[in-house]
Amino acid sequence: MALTHEFEMFESSKDVVFNKETRKNMVNVDDTFILYGIDTLKWIPSFSKNFEQSSNGLDYYGRTYLDSEGITVLKGIIGGWLQIFKYAPIQIELTGDYDIEKGKFNSVIIEKENLVTQLQDLFSLCDSAIKKDYILVHFGI
């Protein structure tokens, strides 16, 4: 099973619940893309520890909280990636992690349709959260 990052909007940080019910509605994004786009995702103003500590980017393993400013930046970044991937072939070859034994970066093949669907879902979730004045929570792997 591939690693995924889950995103969901909540009315406030007091309403954040991670269970089977809430997971049904979460938007999933493959870890492959998160790692590939990690540099651009560092531009997102964010919070950890229930909005107690401000930072930038997504906590890879834990929860990240985004207010309207962070959601707007994430939406803009995802929109940019969607524009780029519009020109990609059906199978996209992304640069993966570095293999010390082989002395080169690994390649990861992903299906364009799956990636674009995930990014469109996240874009729509950001849009909904902004319109409702909700927060967005990223649940790391």
Side-chain angles (χ1 to χ4, degrees):
M1 182 172 150
L3 298 174
T4 61
H5 296 255
E6 296 168 308
F7 295 83
E8 181 57 291
M9 64 178 179
F10 297 92
E11 192 167 353
S12 74
S13 60
K14 296 177 192 107
D15 300 318
V16 175
V17 178
F18 186 82
N19 60 31
K20 286 182 182 181
E21 271 312 300
T22 57
R23 289 185 81 188
K24 290 178 185 176
N25 298 321
M26 291 185 183
V27 170
N28 294 303
V29 177
D30 286 341
D31 184 52
T32 301
F33 171 75
I34 296 294
L35 290 173
Y36 185 76
I38 198 77
D39 289 331
T40 59
L41 298 175
K42 289 178 185 174
W43 304 337
I44 303 165
S46 59
F47 298 88
S48 58
K49 299 185 181 176
N50 214 15
F51 282 99
E52 292 176 17
Q53 184 176 347
S54 65
S55 60
N56 286 306
L58 303 176
D59 185 339
Y60 187 75
Y61 297 104
R63 289 183 185 176
T64 310
Y65 299 85
L66 304 179
D67 61 9
S68 61
E69 179 186 9
I71 298 167
T72 300
V73 173
L74 174 60
K75 181 181 170 190
I77 291 169
I78 296 303
W81 280 110
L82 283 167
Q83 288 298 310
I84 290 169
F85 287 125
K86 175 169 58 174
Y87 300 101
I90 293 171
Q91 288 191 323
I92 304 170
E93 182 177 351
L94 299 178
T95 301
D97 58 349
Y98 188 77
D99 187 328
I100 294 174
E101 292 178 14
K102 293 179 183 176
K104 65 178 189 170
F105 286 93
N106 292 315
S107 291
V108 181
I109 305 295
I110 60 173
E111 298 297 320
K112 174 182 176 178
E113 184 178 345
N114 292 340
L115 177 59
V116 168
T117 297
Q118 291 175 13
L119 295 179
Q120 286 172 335
D121 290 348
L122 182 54
F123 187 88
S124 294
L125 182 67
C126 289
D127 196 44
S128 294
I130 291 167
K131 287 177 181 171
K132 292 183 175 185
D133 197 26
Y134 278 23
I135 64 168
L136 189 71
V137 180
H138 160 259
F139 298 92
I141 60 167

